[in-house]
Amino acid sequence: MGDNLKVAVRVRPFNDREKQRNAKLVIEMHGDTTIIKDPNNMEGEGRKYTFDYSYWSHDGFKERDDGYLEPEDGRYADQARVFEDLGKGVLSNAWQGFNCSLFAYGQTGSGKSYSMVGYGENKGIIPVSCEELFKGIEERKLTDDAEREAEYQVSVSMLEIYNESVKDLLNTKSFKKGGLRVREHPQKGFYVEQLQISPVRNYKDIEGRIAEGNFNRTVAATNMNATSSRAHTIVSINFAQKAKNDAGKSMTKTSVINLVDLAGSERADSTGATGDRLKEGSMINKSLLCLGNCIKAVADKQMGKATNPPFRDSTLTRLLKNALGGNSKTIMIAALSPAGINYDETVSTLRFADRAKSIKTRAVVNESPTDKLIREMKEEIKRLQDQLKLGGGPGGVIVQGIPEDQVEEMRKQMEEELKKNQKEMEDMKLSWQQRLKDQEEGSMKMLMEERSRQEARKTTPHFWNLNEDPMLTGMIVHFVPAGHHALGNAEPADIVLKGLSVEKDHATIDNRNNSSIKIVPKGAVLVNGVTIDKETELRHNDRVMFGSTHLYVFHHPQDAAIQEKEGKPVERVTFDSAQQEIAEKKGFDMNMLGKSPEEILLQEDITRALRMVGEANAMSTALDKKMLYKLELLSPQARGLKDGRTQVLVRAKNLTNGKECLWRDDSFVDRKYVMQEMYQNYAEGEEDWDCPQDKDPFQDQEDAGYIIGTTFVYMNSLAYCIEMEDILPVTSSTSKEECKMKINILPCHANGGPFTDDEFIDDPNELLGRSLCLKIRIEQLLGLNRKFSHVWCRYKMHQSNDWNTSEVIELSSGNPLIDFEKTFPLNPVTKTLLNDLLDAALIIQVWGRQKPGNLDSSLANMTTKQLAGLDEDKLRYSFDKGAAGSRKADTQTKKGTEKKTAAVVNPETEKALRQKEVQIQSLRAEVNRLRAAKDKEASTTRTSVGFQGGESVNSKMALVTAVVNEAKRLKKETILRERLASILQTGRDLPSTEIKQIEEKIGENKPSKACVIM
């Protein structure tokens, strides 16, 4: 029987982000049981899970003078308790010769690193286990018999799996296209070929190797624009014990301790990611998906189900095959966020851990005679040499019918395996002390350089890096001592930064004896979130971004001392705070004070998306893709919703033809990762880095259309059974007016007949319980840009989730006739519906598809960088008229439409039209004020609501209605503004003689004296 995989869960305290959002605590722990409650139903029982250990580390602790967090009560689980339960088991198994694996799983920021590594005095499982291992070695050396004195050998390796590619973090030569190969050995299982394994003498050596690996990881991630939080890291500690047994025979007992820090499990709603994002696009999340599938399949198989775990489906699962049901003692620690805002991700983590706890592994002691190992190695070398001599076929036989290229590939594999075995053979013959000496000589120089660098940081001005992974922040340092320094992407620059948007001659920095340090930009440089274009002095703690990915903090020791003496506070800079500053300087509201949780969540989405948009633009420029991306926000109302979250969108514009499209945030993220892969191939010199146009992630291949804009139709007059006719602006998500919409809404009977004058509603409440129909007609769009080839409108009616969509109109002018009419029976009129008519707006979306334009010939030879740098008004495109379609905007018109349209779009009357619109708004405001006053008026009380005269609101409304109906009967399109003012102020209409005089003046081309009938 095997051992069950041990599973522990641990919940951390609230972080700053969760505190700012007043997050709810949704995690409870009772013994080994963990309960998570739905933040929208805190009174419910919640979901219960039972694990080997449930660690409560949310509260109930105090900080000692040395910084260690110790429990105030028996509930809090500190680092010592976690090591006692989990770390000691790892050590015990290693001493016995078992392979061990320790997983850390959870969403980004859930506390994985704290449990695994820790900080300061709060050391995690990895450092404490390593320290205890070397303590044990020293104790054994003191107690071993002289005759049986053992030799203890510890070595370490560190690798990263990113996008299915393996990198040896201790060997930068492995940072090549495709990474290192993963092979399978008949006895050892899967392994990484040519992975560097470094001998170590103590934990300080291990710490140094891990720091070296993190440094290499940070540089590579920045240069290649990779996202470190989406990479898996495996630190392997190889522990070998060589000693004589009771028979005097030399034996070797080996153990491999795999410490696995899995990439942050993908956030769902909190970043707009969806299930599709986890399955499509790039291979960023392939490893996590396959790991989940393997865990499920292993558990099912051990329960008797016929299934084969898909270990070969990803690099991660191949390397962890032994840990998941094979030769290993395995522990998983799942890190949990306590906050309700992370509910979905936390539930996902708990499900993952719950599934894993049913897995059984069958670990065996890895012990063999030392001379047997050497003999087997020699036999393996001889077998490979014989195969190579005989042509490379298995068993020494040349295989017929295999293409030469495959034979050559087999030959190369055998040669590489032979070299590997010969290297292992040589290592076994070397004494351990000799191997340690060779390793130490190679690392001594690096150690001295690191010490020198740490000393220099105390006195010399320098830049230190910011990274979204806190473990990688501060890993890169660039010094700027007194003198002149060039910064660029290659030597002879003094400071070399590789990656997106960094130019050969990017900037110069002048340090004038540490008293004044100034930077002169020649490429893209941001200081404290603002793009600079002239010489700028740098102060201590300034945030500086070079290009689009190199984000640094400037440390000026001399300036820091001055600021401290003056009592100026020095803020703590983090990656998130620096990114929020950039977003704020770009015009986004990043102030969290008084914001709702939804608004703070939107701020986080904006910050993240803005960074990715910048990277996408930088990659488009580097690859000359002629695409430009901008961030846009779309309110829930503009999407036809009453409430909800504002949606983050990305507008993609083809600079060669002017075509634009809107991508949802999750769709853009998928595309961005594929863009990233293309850029990496390009940067690595691949000739076929580009892809066919129909698969190009930079461009949108589907011509599905996008929202041109929305208009809000307020229907309060309909509550009085007054027809509404208006010309309303259609505005984009950036508040730019795209066109106008001519709309008519008629209250009518079920048979479609209009209400008569006698059916005027004095009090909207009279409609309650009655039948009413609304006939909504979208007549026409006016002044639409010629770049659109097709257009259509859609809206949702009262409390309905169904879209009412017009036909798709093919444009041949900028004034397409929509002619979309639909009647809605409201039977009966409810209080909710009445409130909607009085207070809410009907939101109509205008959608369109663009046709490609022709870029002005003077701009045709410009690069992406040059085109993107032009102002919008200088990017000129010409658009041919659309071809004739089955239904054209200008041919299907009703009687009188042509005349009205011509009058409206005539340039000479455009100004008058705008004045009329202002008058409409004024009239609507007065009506709203009247309605508000009328609602307060008692049934027997007459109120003037601030107007002159003593006439009641009801009589004024009746008189306004009468004037409107009179104009309609006479087929007048306008009402005298003075008549309405007189009614609203005095309760009386103007005398007929005065009306006639004003109408004669209107005939003299003074349109400001009239209001369009609503």
Side-chain angles (χ1 to χ4, degrees):
M1 289 291 293
D3 297 326
N4 278 78
L5 187 149
K6 281 189 177 182
V7 177
V9 296
R10 191 179 190 186
V11 61
R12 59 162 173 76
F14 285 133
N15 59 27
D16 291 341
R17 165 179 169 263
E18 293 158 348
K19 290 176 182 176
Q20 290 165 350
R21 294 171 63 177
N22 296 318
K24 297 178 182 178
L25 176 62
V26 296
I27 298 291
E28 294 180 5
M29 289 182 174
H30 305 284
D32 296 331
T33 300
T34 297
I35 302 171
I36 182 169
K37 293 193 172 183
D38 187 338
N40 298 318
N41 182 24
M42 293 298 290
E43 301 301 321
E45 291 186 2
R47 306 185 186 196
K48 295 183 180 180
Y49 300 88
T50 301
F51 302 102
D52 295 289
Y53 304 98
S54 288
Y55 294 123
W56 180 265
S57 300
H58 178 70
D59 57 17
F61 61 88
K62 63 180 179 180
E63 185 175 351
R64 294 192 320 219
D65 292 340
D66 61 359
Y68 184 78
L69 304 180
E70 63 180 8
E72 285 188 316
D73 53 46
R75 193 180 183 199
Y76 179 76
D78 62 354
Q79 296 286 61
R81 179 177 162 189
V82 174
F83 173 75
E84 186 72 22
D85 292 339
L86 304 179
K88 278 195 172 181
V90 171
L91 273 179
S92 175
N93 291 328
W95 278 107
Q96 294 175 56
F98 292 108
N99 290 336
C100 310
S101 296
L102 179 60
F103 290 87
Y105 183 82
Q107 74 178 95
T108 302
S110 60
K112 301 192 305 292
S113 296
Y114 180 72
S115 293
M116 294 289 282
V117 181
Y119 65 88
E121 291 299 314
N122 299 280
K123 296 178 180 179
I125 294 174
I126 293 176
V128 177
S129 297
C130 292
E131 287 177 350
E132 291 298 317
L133 176 62
F134 285 106
K135 281 183 184 178
I137 290 173
E138 293 303 318
E139 291 173 359
R140 296 285 180 103
K141 286 181 177 180
L142 294 174
T143 58
D144 281 344
D145 295 335
E147 295 181 358
R148 299 174 58 182
E149 184 176 350
E151 184 179 34
Y152 301 98
Q153 302 175 357
V154 182
S155 55
V156 64
S157 64
M158 187 176 182
L159 63 84
E160 176 186 82
I161 303 172
Y162 179 78
N163 204 19
E164 286 299 282
S165 177
V166 178
K167 292 179 181 177
D168 183 350
L169 294 178
L170 301 181
N171 178 17
T172 55
K173 293 180 181 179
S174 71
F175 292 16
K176 57 185 180 181
K177 176 65 179 174
L180 299 179
R181 292 185 179 182
V182 176
R183 297 197 181 280
E184 186 174 17
H185 189 276
Q187 284 81 39
K188 298 177 183 178
F190 290 105
Y191 67 94
V192 177
E193 190 174 66
Q194 297 179 344
L195 182 67
Q196 179 174 310
I197 301 176
S198 302
V200 290
R201 190 185 298 276
N202 49 43
Y203 175 62
K204 286 291 184 184
D205 288 350
I206 293 180
E207 200 173 39
R209 296 287 79 75
I210 292 176
E212 178 188 347
N214 281 333
F215 175 80
N216 292 335
R217 177 185 173 200
T218 308
V219 173
T222 307
N223 289 347
M224 299 310 296
N225 193 31
T227 309
S228 57
S229 64
R230 307 304 309 140
H232 313 289
T233 306
I234 301 177
V235 176
S236 295
I237 299 173
N238 298 271
F239 178 40
Q241 308 169 64
K242 293 184 177 182
K244 293 180 180 180
N245 61 11
D246 294 336
K249 194 171 188 177
S250 180
M251 302 292 290
T252 299
K253 188 186 293 184
T254 59
S255 172
V256 179
I257 306 171
N258 288 311
L259 305 167
V260 186
D261 188 356
L262 296 173
S265 53
E266 192 63 18
R267 298 195 298 171
D269 292 341
S270 62
T271 61
T274 65
D276 289 342
R277 174 178 166 187
L278 299 178
K279 299 173 185 175
E280 297 175 355
S282 66
M283 296 179 287
I284 290 298
N285 291 307
K286 180 178 178 181
S287 296
L288 281 180
L289 287 171
C290 290
L291 181 60
N293 292 338
C294 287
I295 286 177
K296 181 179 185 304
V298 169
D300 289 345
K301 187 174 183 178
Q302 292 175 351
M303 293 174 63
K305 296 183 180 180
T307 181
N308 288 317
F311 289 112
R312 293 180 177 275
D313 286 358
S314 83
T315 302
L316 177 70
T317 50
R318 279 186 284 169
L319 292 177
L320 298 182
K321 182 179 179 182
N322 277 339
L324 302 173
N327 179 21
S328 177
K329 299 257 187 183
T330 303
I331 298 171
M332 174 183 289
I333 182 164
L336 308 178
S337 162
I341 54 177
N342 296 319
Y343 174 78
D344 291 332
E345 300 93 315
T346 306
V347 167
S348 175
T349 300
L350 286 168
R351 285 176 175 169
F352 189 94
D354 190 58
R355 185 185 298 169
K357 71 182 183 182
S358 60
I359 291 178
K360 292 182 181 293
T361 60
R362 293 174 175 81
V364 297
V365 175
N366 303 303
E367 185 174 30
S368 298
T370 304
D371 52 0
K372 180 185 176 184
L373 291 175
I374 295 175
R375 185 177 67 250
E376 289 177 347
M377 191 72 67
K378 287 181 177 179
E379 291 174 354
E380 178 72 7
I381 291 172
K382 186 176 185 306
R383 182 184 66 81
L384 290 170
Q385 287 174 335
D386 290 343
Q387 286 189 12
L388 286 170
K389 290 176 181 178
L390 294 173
V397 179
I398 299 176
V399 181
Q400 301 294 331
I402 298 181
E404 289 186 9
D405 57 341
Q406 292 187 21
V407 172
E408 183 61 26
E409 179 65 21
M410 291 170 61
R411 187 180 187 87
K412 286 181 180 179
Q413 290 180 11
M414 289 180 183
E415 287 176 346
E416 289 173 358
E417 192 170 348
L418 178 60
K419 289 178 182 178
K420 174 179 174 293
N421 287 337
Q422 288 174 335
K423 177 70 167 58
E424 289 182 6
M425 183 77 175
E426 291 171 2
D427 288 344
M428 292 183 73
K429 290 178 180 179
L430 283 175
S431 70
W432 180 248
Q433 294 302 322
Q434 181 62 44
R435 292 172 63 191
L436 273 175
K437 182 180 178 182
D438 293 343
Q439 181 68 32
E440 286 175 350
E441 288 176 356
S443 60
M444 184 58 67
K445 182 180 179 182
M446 185 181 299
L447 179 62
M448 296 302 294
E449 288 176 352
E450 177 60 25
R451 287 178 179 174
S452 175
R453 184 166 56 184
Q454 292 300 328
E455 286 299 317
R457 292 184 70 168
K458 298 176 183 178
T459 58
T460 307
H462 60 272
F463 296 96
W464 55 271
N465 77 301
L466 289 170
N467 193 287
E468 64 177 313
D469 185 344
M471 296 293 295
L472 304 185
T473 288
M475 296 297 299
I476 302 175
V477 177
H478 295 292
F479 291 99
V480 282
H484 178 85
H485 306 275
L487 186 148
N489 62 17
E491 293 181 349
D494 305 292
I495 300 175
V496 177
L497 303 179
K498 295 184 180 294
L500 287 172
S501 301
V502 179
E503 300 178 9
K504 185 175 181 180
D505 186 13
H506 197 88
T508 58
I509 302 168
D510 282 309
N511 181 347
R512 299 166 188 173
N513 296 321
N514 294 338
S515 60
S516 174
I517 301 176
K518 296 184 178 181
I519 182 170
V520 179
K522 299 180 181 179
V525 178
L526 273 69
V527 175
N528 300 331
V530 179
T531 301
I532 61 171
D533 55 7
K534 60 182 179 181
E535 184 180 68
T536 302
E537 184 170 2
L538 295 177
R539 303 298 304 273
H540 175 66
N541 229 37
D542 278 351
R543 286 72 61 200
V544 185
M545 177 178 277
F546 302 102
S548 61
T549 57
H550 289 272
L551 184 57
Y552 289 85
V553 178
F554 182 64
H555 182 83
H556 190 335
Q558 291 75 20
D559 191 31
I562 295 173
Q563 292 185 26
E564 184 178 357
K565 187 176 181 179
E566 294 175 350
K568 294 181 179 179
V570 178
E571 63 179 304
R572 174 175 167 265
V573 183
T574 65
F575 180 83
D576 289 337
S577 67
Q579 293 292 347
Q580 288 170 1
E581 179 181 54
I582 293 172
E584 185 175 14
K585 295 300 173 64
K586 288 185 179 294
F588 294 98
D589 180 12
M590 291 289 117
N591 183 11
M592 295 185 180
L593 188 63
K595 294 290 192 298
S596 67
E598 289 75 17
E599 290 172 321
I600 294 176
L601 184 59
L602 175 62
Q603 290 177 339
E604 294 174 4
D605 290 347
I606 290 172
T607 302
R608 178 184 51 83
L610 196 62
R611 184 173 80 249
M612 299 184 80
V613 165
E615 293 172 2
N617 280 324
M619 288 186 283
S620 175
T621 299
L623 303 179
D624 201 24
K625 282 292 183 176
K626 303 293 196 304
M627 292 295 297
L628 181 65
Y629 307 99
K630 291 183 179 180
L631 191 66
E632 291 194 8
L633 304 178
L634 195 63
S635 69
Q637 291 75 24
R639 305 199 307 273
L641 305 173
K642 282 191 174 181
D643 49 35
R645 288 186 55 198
T646 296
Q647 193 174 52
V648 176
L649 300 173
V650 175
R651 182 178 294 274
K653 180 175 182 177
N654 188 318
L655 297 173
T656 59
N657 58 26
K659 285 193 70 172
E660 297 180 341
C661 57
L662 284 175
W663 292 336
R664 286 174 47 189
D665 179 44
D666 56 332
S667 174
F668 170 68
V669 171
D670 276 337
R671 289 174 174 274
K672 190 260 180 183
Y673 281 126
V674 184
M675 294 176 192
Q676 193 169 299
E677 292 174 23
M678 288 181 63
Y679 174 76
Q680 288 178 357
N681 292 338
Y682 166 80
E684 291 169 354
E686 294 257 338
E687 293 184 1
D688 57 346
W689 59 266
D690 208 350
C691 62
Q693 187 173 353
D694 60 342
K695 295 181 180 179
D696 192 341
F698 287 88
Q699 302 184 33
D700 197 348
Q701 314 309 328
E702 297 181 6
D703 200 8
Y706 65 94
I707 298 178
I708 298 173
T710 54
T711 189
F712 295 80
V713 184
Y714 291 92
M715 304 184 291
N716 40 20
S717 65
L718 300 172
Y720 297 90
C721 293
I722 299 176
E723 179 183 7
M724 197 221 81
E725 187 173 10
D726 213 339
I727 298 175
L728 301 172
V730 177
T731 56
S732 68
S733 59
T734 58
S735 301
K736 177 186 175 183
E737 183 175 309
E738 298 290 347
C739 62
K740 294 181 177 7
M741 177 184 291
K742 190 172 184 182
I743 185 171
N744 174 271
I745 304 180
L746 178 70
C748 59
H749 295 289
N751 62 4
F755 284 93
T756 64
D757 295 345
D758 297 334
E759 293 178 291
F760 166 75
I761 299 298
D762 187 51
D763 184 353
N765 288 318
E766 296 177 25
L767 285 176
L768 291 174
R770 292 175 52 180
S771 296
L772 175 69
C773 289
L774 294 181
K775 186 183 293 184
I776 301 177
R777 181 167 181 258
I778 303 174
E779 295 185 16
Q780 194 174 17
L781 297 178
L782 306 170
L784 192 64
N785 196 305
R786 288 180 58 193
K787 67 183 180 181
F788 294 102
S789 60
H790 297 79
V791 69
W792 64 96
C793 303
R794 70 175 194 175
Y795 60 88
K796 290 181 180 179
M797 196 49 187
H798 167 71
Q799 293 188 345
S800 172
N801 291 323
D802 298 327
W803 289 103
N804 303 285
T805 307
S806 72
E807 293 182 34
V808 177
I809 309 300
E810 185 176 357
L811 271 67
S812 58
S813 82
N815 309 302
L817 181 70
I818 303 300
D819 196 19
F820 177 46
E821 182 177 287
K822 195 165 185 178
T823 301
F824 297 90
L826 310 177
N827 186 17
V829 175
T830 63
K831 186 64 176 177
T832 302
L833 171 60
L834 189 60
N835 289 336
D836 280 353
L837 290 177
L838 290 170
D839 302 321
L842 176 67
I843 303 166
I844 303 178
Q845 296 179 347
V846 178
W847 284 66
R849 282 198 290 267
Q850 278 188 254
K851 55 188 175 184
N854 299 309
L855 183 64
D856 189 287
S857 58
S858 64
L859 310 176
N861 295 324
M862 284 190 173
T863 63
T864 302
K865 182 178 181 179
Q866 292 169 328
L867 290 172
L870 295 176
D871 293 334
E872 283 285 337
D873 58 344
K874 292 183 179 178
L875 274 174
R876 299 180 298 273
Y877 303 93
S878 59
F879 296 92
D880 297 330
K881 290 186 176 181
S886 58
R887 181 181 176 193
K888 291 189 178 179
D890 293 339
T891 56
Q892 293 198 3
T893 57
K894 293 188 176 181
K895 186 177 181 180
T897 301
E898 294 179 357
K899 181 178 180 180
K900 290 182 182 179
T901 301
V904 173
V905 299
N906 190 323
E908 296 179 0
T909 61
E910 180 67 21
K911 183 177 180 180
L913 178 62
R914 291 178 181 173
Q915 291 174 334
K916 290 180 181 180
E917 289 173 2
V918 174
Q919 294 161 6
I920 291 169
Q921 298 298 330
S922 175
L923 178 59
R924 181 180 290 120
E926 296 293 356
V927 171
N928 286 338
R929 290 175 61 187
L930 279 171
R931 177 167 52 78
K934 177 177 175 295
D935 291 340
K936 296 179 181 178
E937 182 182 34
S939 58
T940 58
T941 304
R942 301 172 67 85
T943 308
S944 64
V945 295
F947 295 110
Q948 298 175 1
E951 297 299 320
S952 71
V953 173
N954 286 345
S955 63
K956 290 179 181 179
M957 289 297 296
L959 193 52
V960 168
T961 302
V963 171
V964 171
N965 290 334
E966 175 195 3
K968 289 183 177 179
R969 283 195 300 271
L970 298 175
K971 296 184 179 180
K972 292 184 177 182
E973 296 184 9
T974 60
I975 299 173
L976 292 180
R977 188 178 177 190
E978 286 80 359
R979 292 181 68 182
L980 297 176
S982 176
I983 293 170
L984 294 174
Q985 292 177 4
T986 68
R988 299 179 181 84
D989 195 2
L990 293 175
S992 58
T993 54
E994 188 173 346
I995 292 173
K996 186 174 181 180
Q997 290 175 356
I998 295 173
E999 286 178 338
E1000 289 174 354
K1001 290 182 180 180
I1002 290 178
E1004 299 173 4
N1005 194 22
K1006 296 181 180 179
S1008 61
K1009 297 296 184 180
C1011 290
V1012 177
I1013 299 175
M1014 295 199 302

